[in-house]
mmCIF file of all heavy atoms in Angstrom:
data_model
loop_
_atom_site.group_PDB
_atom_site.id
_atom_site.type_symbol
_atom_site.label_atom_id
_atom_site.label_comp_id
_atom_site.label_asym_id
_atom_site.label_seq_id
_atom_site.Cartn_x
_atom_site.Cartn_y
_atom_site.Cartn_z
ATOM 1 N N MET Q 1 -46.305 115.683 -29.787
ATOM 2 C CA MET Q 1 -46.574 116.904 -29.003
ATOM 3 C C MET Q 1 -48.061 117.211 -29.029
ATOM 4 O O MET Q 1 -48.731 117.044 -30.018
ATOM 5 C CB MET Q 1 -45.787 118.081 -29.578
ATOM 6 C CG MET Q 1 -45.980 119.382 -28.811
ATOM 7 S SD MET Q 1 -45.070 120.772 -29.536
ATOM 8 C CE MET Q 1 -43.391 120.258 -29.240
ATOM 9 N N GLN Q 2 -48.557 117.674 -27.865
ATOM 10 C CA GLN Q 2 -49.964 118.003 -27.782
ATOM 11 C C GLN Q 2 -50.266 119.237 -28.612
ATOM 12 O O GLN Q 2 -49.460 120.129 -28.771
ATOM 13 C CB GLN Q 2 -50.330 118.266 -26.313
ATOM 14 C CG GLN Q 2 -49.952 117.102 -25.388
ATOM 15 C CD GLN Q 2 -49.959 117.539 -23.954
ATOM 16 O OE1 GLN Q 2 -50.988 117.945 -23.443
ATOM 17 N NE2 GLN Q 2 -48.851 117.428 -23.266
ATOM 18 N N GLY Q 3 -51.495 119.275 -29.158
ATOM 19 C CA GLY Q 3 -51.865 120.388 -30.006
ATOM 20 C C GLY Q 3 -52.050 121.670 -29.222
ATOM 21 O O GLY Q 3 -52.736 121.707 -28.222
ATOM 22 N N VAL Q 4 -51.422 122.733 -29.685
ATOM 23 C CA VAL Q 4 -51.582 124.048 -29.074
ATOM 24 C C VAL Q 4 -51.263 125.071 -30.152
ATOM 25 O O VAL Q 4 -50.430 124.846 -31.018
ATOM 26 C CB VAL Q 4 -50.650 124.218 -27.854
ATOM 27 C CG1 VAL Q 4 -49.203 124.185 -28.263
ATOM 28 C CG2 VAL Q 4 -50.975 125.487 -27.091
ATOM 29 N N SER Q 5 -51.960 126.177 -30.105
ATOM 30 C CA SER Q 5 -51.736 127.204 -31.109
ATOM 31 C C SER Q 5 -50.317 127.736 -31.040
ATOM 32 O O SER Q 5 -49.753 127.890 -29.956
ATOM 33 C CB SER Q 5 -52.731 128.362 -30.895
ATOM 34 O OG SER Q 5 -54.059 127.889 -30.982
ATOM 35 N N ALA Q 6 -49.744 127.998 -32.209
ATOM 36 C CA ALA Q 6 -48.385 128.532 -32.257
ATOM 37 C C ALA Q 6 -48.328 129.840 -31.476
ATOM 38 O O ALA Q 6 -49.166 130.719 -31.637
ATOM 39 C CB ALA Q 6 -47.952 128.745 -33.702
ATOM 40 N N GLY Q 7 -47.320 129.951 -30.622
ATOM 41 C CA GLY Q 7 -47.136 131.170 -29.847
ATOM 42 C C GLY Q 7 -47.970 131.251 -28.589
ATOM 43 O O GLY Q 7 -47.881 132.228 -27.852
ATOM 44 N N THR Q 8 -48.804 130.250 -28.310
ATOM 45 C CA THR Q 8 -49.627 130.249 -27.101
ATOM 46 C C THR Q 8 -48.882 129.554 -25.970
ATOM 47 O O THR Q 8 -48.463 128.407 -26.119
ATOM 48 C CB THR Q 8 -50.970 129.526 -27.331
ATOM 49 O OG1 THR Q 8 -51.686 130.182 -28.373
ATOM 50 C CG2 THR Q 8 -51.808 129.528 -26.063
ATOM 51 N N PRO Q 9 -48.713 130.220 -24.831
ATOM 52 C CA PRO Q 9 -48.040 129.561 -23.712
ATOM 53 C C PRO Q 9 -48.853 128.375 -23.197
ATOM 54 O O PRO Q 9 -50.092 128.405 -23.208
ATOM 55 C CB PRO Q 9 -47.949 130.660 -22.654
ATOM 56 C CG PRO Q 9 -48.147 131.942 -23.385
ATOM 57 C CD PRO Q 9 -49.056 131.618 -24.530
ATOM 58 N N ARG Q 10 -48.158 127.352 -22.776
ATOM 59 C CA ARG Q 10 -48.844 126.271 -22.070
ATOM 60 C C ARG Q 10 -49.314 126.762 -20.708
ATOM 61 O O ARG Q 10 -50.385 126.397 -20.234
ATOM 62 C CB ARG Q 10 -47.890 125.101 -21.870
ATOM 63 C CG ARG Q 10 -47.689 124.241 -23.089
ATOM 64 C CD ARG Q 10 -48.753 123.183 -23.143
ATOM 65 N NE ARG Q 10 -48.446 122.209 -24.178
ATOM 66 C CZ ARG Q 10 -49.331 121.747 -25.035
ATOM 67 N NH1 ARG Q 10 -50.579 122.200 -25.008
ATOM 68 N NH2 ARG Q 10 -49.009 120.845 -25.925
ATOM 69 N N LEU Q 11 -48.463 127.572 -20.064
ATOM 70 C CA LEU Q 11 -48.793 128.108 -18.749
ATOM 71 C C LEU Q 11 -48.558 129.606 -18.752
ATOM 72 O O LEU Q 11 -47.520 130.081 -19.203
ATOM 73 C CB LEU Q 11 -47.922 127.450 -17.671
ATOM 74 C CG LEU Q 11 -48.022 128.056 -16.261
ATOM 75 C CD1 LEU Q 11 -49.414 127.827 -15.667
ATOM 76 C CD2 LEU Q 11 -46.955 127.457 -15.347
ATOM 77 N N GLU Q 12 -49.527 130.348 -18.245
ATOM 78 C CA GLU Q 12 -49.378 131.792 -18.091
ATOM 79 C C GLU Q 12 -49.874 132.191 -16.707
ATOM 80 O O GLU Q 12 -50.974 131.809 -16.292
ATOM 81 C CB GLU Q 12 -50.156 132.533 -19.171
ATOM 82 C CG GLU Q 12 -49.845 134.011 -19.229
ATOM 83 C CD GLU Q 12 -50.460 134.691 -20.440
ATOM 84 O OE1 GLU Q 12 -51.182 134.018 -21.199
ATOM 85 O OE2 GLU Q 12 -50.213 135.897 -20.609
ATOM 86 N N ILE Q 13 -49.043 132.933 -15.994
ATOM 87 C CA ILE Q 13 -49.378 133.426 -14.661
ATOM 88 C C ILE Q 13 -49.385 134.947 -14.719
ATOM 89 O O ILE Q 13 -48.430 135.564 -15.195
ATOM 90 C CB ILE Q 13 -48.351 132.943 -13.613
ATOM 91 C CG1 ILE Q 13 -48.306 131.420 -13.568
ATOM 92 C CG2 ILE Q 13 -48.674 133.505 -12.241
ATOM 93 C CD1 ILE Q 13 -47.152 130.876 -12.725
ATOM 94 N N ARG Q 14 -50.456 135.549 -14.243
ATOM 95 C CA ARG Q 14 -50.588 137.006 -14.298
ATOM 96 C C ARG Q 14 -50.877 137.568 -12.918
ATOM 97 O O ARG Q 14 -51.926 137.293 -12.331
ATOM 98 C CB ARG Q 14 -51.726 137.398 -15.246
ATOM 99 C CG ARG Q 14 -51.558 136.953 -16.690
ATOM 100 C CD ARG Q 14 -52.794 137.311 -17.492
ATOM 101 N NE ARG Q 14 -52.703 136.870 -18.888
ATOM 102 C CZ ARG Q 14 -53.721 136.900 -19.746
ATOM 103 N NH1 ARG Q 14 -54.909 137.361 -19.333
ATOM 104 N NH2 ARG Q 14 -53.563 136.481 -20.987
ATOM 105 N N GLY Q 15 -49.942 138.349 -12.398
ATOM 106 C CA GLY Q 15 -50.153 139.098 -11.154
ATOM 107 C C GLY Q 15 -50.535 138.243 -9.966
ATOM 108 O O GLY Q 15 -51.347 138.660 -9.133
ATOM 109 N N LEU Q 16 -49.917 137.089 -9.823
ATOM 110 C CA LEU Q 16 -50.300 136.140 -8.775
ATOM 111 C C LEU Q 16 -49.877 136.647 -7.401
ATOM 112 O O LEU Q 16 -48.752 137.136 -7.213
ATOM 113 C CB LEU Q 16 -49.630 134.786 -9.053
ATOM 114 C CG LEU Q 16 -50.243 133.553 -8.389
ATOM 115 C CD1 LEU Q 16 -51.680 133.356 -8.861
ATOM 116 C CD2 LEU Q 16 -49.402 132.321 -8.708
#
Side-chain angles (χ1 to χ4, degrees):
M1 181 181 293
Q2 305 164 62
V4 65
S5 301
T8 300
R10 282 273 190 225
L11 172 66
E12 191 171 3
I13 301 170
R14 299 176 182 170
L16 200 61

